[in-house]
C-alpha cells in the first residue's frame, strides 16, 4: 500500500490567490483536502462573518502559504521498495536479554574510540604546556572536563544524534537528509525509497515554517550554495577517512608505549615493531570482527571502562580530592592567564579527550538513539571523568611524571592486567573507526561521490555490518605509514586533532542547516548552537593548525588526495550522466520510426543494460543504426540494490511498457538485496525476467479490460495488420507493424514458426491480444537472449581547458575502469553479450 506523499509548502502572491478564489469556492475546498492544494487558515474561514475587517486584512497580505504535493514517479519509487523492507523493530516487546546484548554491542561499536582518550590526552597537552604547579594541572583538567561535556555530550549525544537519516549517521547522512528535504543535490539520478517519504502531516504556518521555506528557496535557487554544500561534505568525508587512519596508529602506539613504564629499558623501536604487528593482526581479522567477534568485544570494553573508573577512584583516594576543584571553570581562565601562548598550543591536545565523538554518530546505524544516549550518560561519561580526575590527582602529587601519565598512575599490583586490557581497548577503538569508515564510504558510494567498490555484508540480520576489502588493506598500509613516519604519540596526536576538528566543524554547519530547514527550530536555539560550537571548534582548530609542521602536514596531504578522488569521481559522473540524459532518444523519434524501429525485428530477447531509469538510452540508437536487425522484444534493464537482506523472486522485477503495445519494448528494474547472490547464471536471470514480464502483461490486460475506452493510456494504439515472412531457417521476421497482430498460434501450446497474412480488420480485443503477445514472448524466449551493454568511453571535448582534460581523460577514466559495475556481477557468457564502448565527449 502506497503511503501519502510528503507535502511541500510554497509562497504565492496575492494575485495568484485571487485567481484561485475566483475559480470556485467549493472546488477549492475539495482540492485542499483531496489533493493537498491550497491551505486556508481559521482566520480565512471566519472571514465571511468578520466582514470588511478581514477583507482589508486579506488585501494587506502580499503572500500566503499554500500546500502542494510534489510529483512522484511511482515506478522509480517502487524500484527501491519491496514488501520485506517493513520495519518490525518497533513492535517487538521488551526483552532483558536482548537489551543487555545491544548494550554491550553499543560499547564495542560506538564508544571504543572515545574510551581510550585517557591514554594520551594529558601526555600531548603537557608536552606543549609544562607543569609548574598545582594550578596548571587543575586548569588543564578543567579544560578537559568541559570539553568532554560540551563536545561529545551536549553536541553529539543530545543534538547531532537526532539528525540521523533514517537511522544512518555520519557526515554523508547529514547531506543526504538535507537533499531529501530540498532540491540541492548536484549528484544525478538519485531515487528515494518510498519508505523514506513522510506521511501526511498538517503544519500550521508559523514563523519557523516561514523561515524554513525561505532557507529552502535560497538553497534551491543558488548554485553557489549547492556547490558549497557538496564541497563541504566531500571535505568532511576526506577528513573523516583521515581520522580513521590516524586512530589506529594513535591508539595502538599509545597503548603499547606502556611497556616503557613496565619495562624501563624498552626502546621506541620495540614499541613501533609491536604496534605494527598488532595492526597487521587487527586488519587481517577485520572481516570476522565485524560480525562474529563483535559480541566478545562488548564485555572487554566494559572491563576497560571499569578499569578507568576504578583506577580514577584509587588515585583520588590515595592523593586526595583536590582534583575536584577543576569543576570550577575559573581555573580555565587562570590556566590561560599564566601562559596564554602555551595554553593556546595545548588546546590541540585537549581536544583528544573528545576524539571519537564523530564515530558515535557514524556508527549510529547499528543501534537506536536512546541506547547510545543512556550508555554514554550512565557509564561512559562517569568512567571517563573519574579517569581524568584520578590522573590529575596523580599529577598534582607527582608533577614531574608528565609522560605516560595513565600507565604511571596504575597500581603496581594490577599493572600488567590493565596493560593487556588497554591494548585490547586500543584495538577495539581502531576497529570502531574502521567500521565507521566502511559506513561512510557505503553512503558516499550510494550518493555517487566515491568509486564503486566491493562491499561484503557479514551479517544476514543486520544490514549495517559490512566489510570493504580494498578499503581495509588501504587503511592498514596508511596506518603503518603514519607509525613508521612519526614513531611517537606527540606528532601523531597533532595530526589526530586536525582530522577530528575538520569533521566536527562540518557537522556543526550541516546540523545548523537541518535545524533551520527540517526541524524548524527557534532562531535563538539555532544561533546558540552554531555560535557556541563553531566558535569553540575554530579556536581548537587554530591551535591544531599551529602544529602542521610537527605532523599535521602528512594528514593534510593524505586528506587532499582523498578529496581529489571524490571530487573527480563526482565531477566525471555528473558530466557522464548529463551527457546520457541529453542524448536520450525522444518518444517522438520512436513513434516516427514505428514499431519496427526502422529495421528488421528478428525473433529474440534483447536486454539493453543501462544506468538510466527513465527514457531510451542513446546507445539503443547506436544499436539500431549499426546492427542489421534488432530483437523482437526489447527490455531496458537497470540493476538496483535495495536496502533489504533478500528480495523474493516474485518481487525481483518491476516492468513498465515503453511506447505503445505494438513496439514490444519494456523498461525493467531488477532489484537485489544486499545478501542476494548476484552471480547467478544468465539462464536463471532470463527465466525469472520472462516470468515477471508475462505476469506484468497479464496484469496489464486485466486492468485495461476493466477500464473504459476513455481511460486507456494515450500511448495505446489499436492493432493494425502485419506482414510476417518466414526465412529459410524457419525464423519469423516482421516487415510491417505491429508485430504479430494477426499471428495466431497453430496449437494451444508453444507456437510453431509459420506465416500469417491479414484476413480481416483487427478487433480491439484485450483477451486476444494477451494470448498473441504471450505466444510471441515464448517464441522470442526460444530464440535466446542477448545482453546489449553500454560501456562508454568518456572524454573531454577538444576545446576544454587543460585541467578538465586531465581529470576526465586520465584520472576519471582510470577510476572508472577499475570500479565495479552492477551488470557485470552476473555470469554472462561472452556469446550472449554485446558490449559497445562508444566515445562520448563532455
Amino acid at each position: 500500500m502506497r503511503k501519502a506523499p510528503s507535502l511541500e509548502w510554497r509562497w504565492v502572491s496575492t494575485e495568484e490567490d485571487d485567481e484561485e478564489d475566483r475559480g470556485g469556492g467549493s472546488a477549492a475546498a475539495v482540492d485542499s483536502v483531496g489533493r493537498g492544494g491550497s491551505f486556508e487558515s481559521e482566520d480565512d474561514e471566519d472571514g465571511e462573518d468578520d466582514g470588511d475587517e478581514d477583507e482589508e486584512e486579506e488585501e494587506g497580505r502580499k503572500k500566503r502559504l499554500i500546500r502542494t504535493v510534489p510529483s512522484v514517479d511511482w515506478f522509480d519509487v517502487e524500484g527501491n521498495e519491496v514488501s520485506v523492507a517493513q520495519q518490525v523493530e518497533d513492535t517487538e516487546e521488551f526483552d532483558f536479554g536482548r537489551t543487555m546484548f545491544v548494550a554491550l554491542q553499543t560499547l564495542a561499536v560506538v564508544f571504543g574510540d572515545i574510551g581510550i582518550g585517557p591514554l594520551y590526552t594529558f601526555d600531548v597537552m603537557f608536552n606543549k604546556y609544562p607543569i609548574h604547579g598545582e594550578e596548571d594541572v587543575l586548569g588543564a583538567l578543567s579544560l578537559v572536563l568541559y570539553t568532554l561535556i560540551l563536545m561529545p555530550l551536549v553536541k553529539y549525544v543530545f543534538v547531532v544524534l537526532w539528525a540521523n537519516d533514517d537511522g544512518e549517521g555520519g557526515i554523508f547522512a547529514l547531506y543526504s537528509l538535507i537533499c531529501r528535504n530540498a532540491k540541492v543535490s548536484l549528484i544525478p539520478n538519485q531515487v528515494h525509497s518510498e519508505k523514506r517519504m513522510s506521511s501526511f502531516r498538517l503544519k500550521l504556518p508559523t514563523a519557523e515554517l516561514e523561515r524554513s521555506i525561505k532557507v529552502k528557496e535560497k538553497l534551491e535557487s543558488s548554485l553557489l550554495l549547492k556547490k558549497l554544500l557538496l564541497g563541504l561534505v566531500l571535505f568532511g568525508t576526506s577528513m573523516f577517512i583521515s581520522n580513521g587512519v590516524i586512530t589506529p596508529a594513535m591508539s595502538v602506539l599509545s597503548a603499547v608505549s606502556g611497556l616503557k613504564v613496565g619495562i624501563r629499558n624498552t626502546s621506541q623501536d620495540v614499541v613501533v615493531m609491536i604496534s605494527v604487528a598488532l595492526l597487521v593482526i587487527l586488519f587481517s581479522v577485520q572481516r570476522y570482527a565485524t560480525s562474529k567477534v563483535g559480541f566478545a568485544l562488548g564485555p572487554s570494553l566494559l572491563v576497560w571502562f571499569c578499569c578507568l573508573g576504578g583506577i580514577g577512584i584509587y588515585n583520588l583516594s590515595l592523593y586526595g580530592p583536590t582534583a575536584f576543584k577543576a569543576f570550577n571553570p575559573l581555573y580555565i581562565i587562570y590556566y590561560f592567564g599564566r601562559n596564554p601562548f602555551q595554553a593556546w598550543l595545548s588546546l590541540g591536545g585537549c581536544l583528544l579527550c573528545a576524539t571519537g565523538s564523530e564515530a558515535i554518530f557514524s556508527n549510529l546505524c547499528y543501534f537506536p538513539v536512546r541506547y547510545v544516549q543512556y550508555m554514554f550518560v550512565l557509564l561512559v561519561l562517569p568512567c571517563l571523568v573519574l579517569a581524568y580526575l584520578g590522573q590529575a590527582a596523580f599529577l598534582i602529587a607527582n608533577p614531574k611524571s608528565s609522560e605516560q601519565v595513565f600507565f604511571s598512575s596504575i597500581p603496581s599490583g594490577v599493572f600488567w592486567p590493565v596493560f593487556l586490557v588497554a591494548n585490547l581497548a586500543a584495538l577495539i577503538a581502531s576497529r570502531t573507526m574502521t567500521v565507521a569508515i566502511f559506513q561512510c564510504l557505503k553512503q558516499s558510494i550510494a550518493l555517487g561521490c566515491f568509486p564503486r567498490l566491493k562491499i561484503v555484508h557479514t551479517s544476514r540480520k543486520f544490514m549495517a555490518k559490512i566489510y570493504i576489502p580494498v578499503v581495509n588493506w588501504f587503511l592498514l598500509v596508511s596506518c603503518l605509514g603514519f607509525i613508521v613516519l612519526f614513531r611517537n604519540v606527540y606528532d601523531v596526536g597533532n595530526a589526530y586533532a586536525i582530522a577530528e576538528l575538520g569533521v566536527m566543524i562540518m557537522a556543526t554547519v550541516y546540523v545548523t542547516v537541518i535545524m533551520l530547514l527540517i526541524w524548524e527550530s527557534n532562531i535563538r536555539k539555532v544561533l546558540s548552537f552554531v555560535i557556541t560550537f563553531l566558535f569553540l571548534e575554530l579556536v581548537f582548530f587554530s591551535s591544531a593548525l599551529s602544529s602542521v609542521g610537527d605532523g599535521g602536514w602528512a594528514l593534510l596531504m593524505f586528506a587532499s588526495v582523498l578529496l581529489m578522488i571524490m571530487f573527480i569521481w563526482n565531477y566525471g559522473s555528473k558530466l557522464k550522466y548529463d551527457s546520457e540524459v541529453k542524448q536520450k532518444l525522444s518518444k517522438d523519434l520512436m513513434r516516427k520510426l514505428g514499431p519496427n524501429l526502422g529495421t528488421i525485428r528478428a525473433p529474440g530477447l534483447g536486454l539493453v543494460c543501462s544506468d538510466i531509469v527513465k527514457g531510451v538510452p542513446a546507445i539503443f540508437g547506436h544499436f539500431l543504426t549499426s546492427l542489421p536487425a534488432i530483437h523482437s522484444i526489447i527490455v531496458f534493464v537497470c540493476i538496483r540494490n535495495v536496502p533489504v537482506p533478500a528480495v523474493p523472486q516474485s518481487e525481483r522485477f518491476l516492468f513498465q511498457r515503453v511506447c505503445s503495445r505494438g513496439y514490444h519494448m519494456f523498461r525493467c528494474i531488477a532489484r537485489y538485496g544486499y545478501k542476494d547472490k548476484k552471480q547467478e547464471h544468465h539462464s536463471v536471470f532470463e527465466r525469472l525476467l520472462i516470468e515477471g514480464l508475462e505476469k506484468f502483461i497479464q496484469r496489464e490486460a486485466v486492468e485495461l479490460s476493466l477500464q473504459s475506452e476513455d481511460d486507456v493510456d494515450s500511448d495505446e494504439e489499436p492493432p493494425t495488420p502485419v506482414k510476417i515472412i518466414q526465412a529459410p531457417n524457419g525464423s519469423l521476421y516482421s516487415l510491417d507493424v505491429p508485430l504479430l497482430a494477426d499471428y495466431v498460434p497453430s496449437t494451444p501450446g508453444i507456437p510453431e514458426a509459420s506465416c500469417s497474412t491479414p484476413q480481416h480488420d483487427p478487433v480491439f480485443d484485450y483477451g486476444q491480444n494477451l494470448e498473441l503477445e504471450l505466444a510471441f514472448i515464448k517464441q522470442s524466449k526460444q530464440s535466446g537472449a542477448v545482453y546489449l551493454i553500454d560501456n562508454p568511453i568518456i572524454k573531454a571535448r577538444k576545446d576544454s581547458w587543460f585541467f578538465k582534460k586531465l581529470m576526465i581523460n586520465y584520472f576519471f577514466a582510470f577510476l572508472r575502469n577499475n570500479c565495479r559495475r552492477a551488470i557485470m556481477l552476473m555470469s554472462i557468457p561472452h556469446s550472449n553479450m554485446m558490449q559497445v564502448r562508444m566515445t562520448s565527449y563532455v
Side-chain angles (χ1 to χ4, degrees):
M1 181 177 180
R2 296 173 180 169
K3 298 180 181 179
S6 57
L7 300 181
E8 295 181 350
W9 291 83
R10 65 181 178 89
W11 289 103
V12 296
S13 61
T14 308
E15 290 77 7
E16 295 180 24
D17 196 37
D18 293 341
E19 291 178 2
E20 292 179 2
D21 293 340
R22 285 193 295 267
S26 60
V30 172
D31 184 73
S32 65
V33 176
R35 297 188 291 109
S38 59
F39 173 80
E40 296 185 6
S41 63
E42 296 178 0
D43 294 338
D44 296 332
E45 293 175 358
D46 296 335
E48 296 179 1
D49 300 331
D50 295 342
D52 297 335
E53 293 180 2
D54 287 343
E55 291 179 2
E56 293 176 1
E57 223 176 61
E58 186 66 20
E59 291 175 0
R61 296 179 183 176
K62 294 183 178 180
K63 291 184 176 181
R64 193 179 72 168
L65 283 173
I66 69 167
R67 194 175 71 242
T68 60
V69 178
S71 59
V72 177
D73 189 334
W74 288 107
F75 183 71
D76 294 340
V77 170
E78 292 172 354
N80 257 7
E81 184 70 12
V82 292
S83 61
V84 296
Q86 300 298 327
Q87 301 294 328
V88 297
E89 289 82 354
D90 294 337
T91 61
E92 295 181 356
E93 297 181 357
F94 176 78
D95 185 352
F96 179 78
R98 179 179 180 275
T99 302
M100 294 304 298
F101 174 80
V102 174
L104 291 176
Q105 288 276 23
T106 305
L107 276 179
V109 177
V110 178
F111 299 114
D113 191 8
I114 198 172
I116 60 167
L119 290 179
Y120 44 72
T121 299
F122 279 138
D123 293 1
V124 178
M125 281 192 72
F126 292 120
N127 183 51
K128 300 288 186 180
Y129 193 116
I131 300 175
H132 297 293
E134 176 182 317
E135 291 77 9
D136 295 331
V137 177
L138 292 176
L141 176 61
S142 182
L143 197 60
V144 167
L145 292 177
Y146 283 100
T147 301
L148 195 62
I149 292 173
L150 286 175
M151 293 300 183
L153 179 63
V154 177
K155 178 184 174 181
Y156 277 93
V157 174
F158 288 161
V159 180
V160 178
L161 286 184
W162 295 110
N164 63 85
D165 183 23
D166 285 343
E168 293 283 342
I171 189 70
F172 254 103
L174 298 176
Y175 179 72
S176 174
L177 184 62
I178 295 174
C179 292
R180 289 202 295 109
N181 289 271
K183 299 176 182 178
V184 298
S185 176
L186 293 176
I187 304 169
N189 200 24
Q190 295 301 314
V191 180
H192 304 303
S193 173
E194 179 184 0
K195 71 176 183 180
R196 292 189 170 186
M197 297 182 63
S198 60
S199 302
F200 171 80
R201 289 188 306 165
L202 181 61
K203 295 182 179 180
L204 297 178
T206 60
E208 288 76 14
L209 178 60
E210 295 178 8
R211 188 183 304 111
S212 172
I213 295 173
K214 292 178 180 178
V215 171
K216 179 179 179 181
E217 292 177 350
K218 185 65 176 178
L219 291 175
E220 292 179 344
S221 61
S222 175
L223 181 61
L224 177 63
L225 291 179
K226 293 180 181 179
K227 293 182 177 180
L228 181 62
L229 286 175
L230 179 60
L232 291 177
V233 75
L234 296 182
F235 172 77
T237 303
S238 64
M239 297 298 287
F240 183 71
I241 298 175
S242 303
N243 188 7
V245 173
I246 293 292
T247 297
M250 183 69 177
S251 58
V252 174
L253 192 61
S254 60
V256 178
S257 296
L259 279 175
K260 293 182 177 182
V261 178
I263 304 175
R264 296 294 178 182
N265 297 327
T266 304
S267 64
Q268 187 64 24
D269 293 336
V270 174
V271 172
V272 171
M273 292 175 59
I274 296 177
S275 301
V276 170
L278 289 177
L279 286 175
V280 171
I281 295 174
L282 171 67
F283 283 95
S284 297
V285 300
Q286 179 65 43
R287 174 173 183 173
Y288 308 101
T290 305
S291 176
K292 300 178 178 61
V293 186
F295 177 67
L297 298 181
S300 303
L301 208 61
L302 177 61
V303 173
W304 168 246
F305 278 108
C306 292
C307 289
L308 290 178
I311 295 173
I313 294 174
Y314 169 80
N315 288 318
L316 288 172
S317 62
L318 182 63
Y319 301 108
T322 308
F324 284 98
K325 295 180 181 179
F327 282 102
N328 185 354
L330 291 178
Y331 281 97
I332 298 178
I333 300 176
Y334 301 154
Y335 182 74
F336 279 89
R338 282 186 295 275
N339 198 331
F341 181 71
Q342 289 185 344
W344 172 71
L345 290 178
S346 67
L347 286 177
C350 173
L351 186 79
L352 296 181
C353 71
T355 54
S357 300
E358 184 62 29
I360 296 176
F361 181 49
S362 298
N363 288 328
L364 180 65
C365 56
Y366 292 92
F367 311 102
V369 174
R370 292 297 184 187
Y371 275 96
V372 178
Q373 290 178 328
Y374 291 152
M375 290 300 296
F376 186 83
V377 173
L378 299 179
L379 177 64
V380 176
L381 183 61
C383 291
L384 290 176
V385 170
L386 287 174
Y388 288 116
L389 287 172
Q391 291 184 35
F394 172 81
L395 285 173
I396 291 174
N398 305 276
K400 295 183 179 180
S401 302
S402 60
E403 294 183 1
Q404 302 296 330
V405 179
F406 174 78
F407 290 104
S408 299
S409 65
I410 299 176
S412 58
V414 296
F415 176 83
W416 290 110
V418 174
F419 173 80
L420 294 177
V421 175
N423 279 269
L424 181 58
L427 294 176
I428 295 175
S430 304
R431 174 185 172 273
T432 298
M433 278 306 301
T434 305
V435 172
I437 289 178
F438 291 162
Q439 294 297 328
C440 179
L441 288 179
K442 183 194 73 172
Q443 297 168 357
S444 61
I445 291 172
L447 289 174
C449 291
F450 203 87
R452 290 182 293 270
L453 303 172
K454 179 182 179 181
I455 299 178
V456 179
H457 292 267
T458 60
S459 174
R460 191 171 185 87
K461 293 182 179 180
F462 303 101
M463 176 185 175
K465 294 186 177 182
I466 62 175
Y467 169 75
I468 306 179
V470 175
V471 176
N472 182 71
W473 301 118
F474 171 75
L475 292 177
L476 172 61
V477 174
S478 302
C479 289
L480 298 182
F482 273 96
I483 288 181
V484 174
L485 179 63
F486 297 114
R487 301 175 62 84
N488 63 79
V489 296
Y490 305 112
D491 291 341
V492 177
N494 295 328
Y496 200 2
I498 295 176
E500 186 72 21
L501 282 165
V503 182
M504 285 184 172
I505 293 174
M506 296 303 103
T508 301
V509 173
Y510 279 101
V511 172
T512 302
V513 177
I514 290 173
M515 294 175 74
L516 291 171
L517 177 66
I518 304 172
W519 294 351
E520 300 171 10
S521 303
N522 186 278
I523 190 63
R524 295 180 181 177
K525 296 180 180 179
V526 177
L527 292 178
S528 300
F529 175 83
V530 66
I531 292 175
T532 301
F533 291 105
L534 195 59
F535 172 75
L536 291 176
E537 289 160 359
L538 289 177
V539 172
F540 279 111
F541 196 55
S542 65
S543 173
L545 288 178
S546 66
S547 303
V548 169
D550 297 331
W553 61 270
L555 180 131
L556 292 177
M557 291 180 60
F558 183 83
S560 299
V561 173
L562 293 174
L563 178 62
M564 187 62 63
I565 291 175
M566 290 187 290
F567 172 76
I568 291 175
W569 180 260
N570 176 262
Y571 180 68
S573 300
K574 186 176 186 305
L575 292 179
K576 172 181 174 293
Y577 179 78
D578 292 341
S579 175
E580 292 178 348
V581 171
K582 292 179 181 178
Q583 297 175 5
K584 282 193 310 183
L585 302 183
S586 65
K587 214 169 190 179
D588 294 337
L589 176 61
M590 303 303 294
R591 290 194 180 100
K592 291 180 181 179
L593 291 176
N596 64 348
L597 301 177
T599 184
I600 297 176
R601 301 292 294 271
L605 181 65
L607 304 179
V608 183
C609 304
S610 175
D611 294 333
I612 296 181
V613 178
K614 301 179 181 179
V616 180
I619 193 64
F620 184 65
H622 181 74
F623 287 130
L624 290 178
T625 56
S626 302
L627 300 178
I630 200 69
H631 300 82
S632 55
I633 293 181
I634 299 296
V635 181
F636 300 101
V637 180
C638 176
I639 305 294
R640 176 167 295 173
N641 297 319
V642 292
V644 294
V647 178
Q649 291 185 357
S650 59
E651 302 181 24
R652 174 81 69 204
F653 300 99
L654 286 179
F655 290 91
Q656 189 180 58
R657 193 180 292 275
V658 178
C659 297
S660 60
R661 181 183 296 270
Y663 284 74
H664 293 283
M665 295 169 60
F666 304 89
R667 182 179 293 114
C668 170
I669 293 181
R671 304 176 295 175
Y672 288 88
Y674 59 83
K675 294 299 293 183
D676 280 327
K677 182 181 178 181
K678 301 181 180 63
Q679 291 83 6
E680 58 190 0
H681 195 268
H682 70 98
S683 60
V684 177
F685 179 83
E686 295 163 12
R687 176 177 59 81
L688 295 176
L689 186 144
I690 292 175
E691 290 177 359
L693 180 60
E694 291 175 345
K695 292 179 181 179
F696 165 76
I697 293 174
Q698 293 171 353
R699 184 171 61 252
E700 181 191 49
V702 173
E703 293 176 354
L704 291 176
S705 64
L706 297 177
Q707 295 177 357
S708 62
E709 187 174 357
D710 296 334
D711 293 333
V712 178
D713 190 355
S714 59
D715 285 341
E716 289 292 331
E717 299 174 3
T720 55
V722 65
K723 297 180 180 179
I724 300 176
I725 64 172
Q726 183 177 14
N729 61 359
S731 299
L732 296 177
Y733 291 88
S734 169
L735 298 181
D736 208 340
V737 294
L739 292 172
L740 294 181
D742 283 302
Y743 173 68
V744 180
S746 56
T747 62
I750 299 177
E752 301 291 338
S754 61
C755 295
S756 175
T757 55
Q759 299 177 354
H760 55 80
D761 293 336
V763 180
F764 198 62
D765 187 346
Y766 291 113
Q768 180 183 4
N769 278 276
L770 172 61
E771 180 184 353
L772 294 176
E773 194 162 17
L774 293 178
F776 186 57
I777 290 176
K778 292 181 180 179
Q779 174 68 29
S780 301
K781 176 183 177 182
Q782 288 182 337
S783 302
V786 176
Y787 296 81
L788 309 176
I789 300 176
D790 175 22
N791 189 17
I793 300 175
I794 307 300
K795 288 188 175 182
R797 293 192 300 265
K798 295 182 178 180
D799 57 345
S800 301
W801 43 290
F802 171 75
F803 288 104
K804 181 178 179 180
K805 292 181 180 179
L806 182 65
M807 287 190 295
I808 299 300
N809 297 348
Y810 296 97
F811 296 140
F812 179 70
F814 173 80
L815 294 174
R816 193 166 182 274
N817 291 333
N818 289 276
C819 74
R820 299 167 65 88
R821 298 192 66 199
I823 191 62
M824 300 306 294
L825 296 177
M826 294 187 298
S827 56
I828 304 175
H830 293 287
S831 59
N832 291 51
M833 185 191 316
M834 182 180 296
Q835 188 170 185
V836 178
R837 294 182 64 89
M838 186 172 63
T839 303
S840 298
Y841 291 92
V842 295

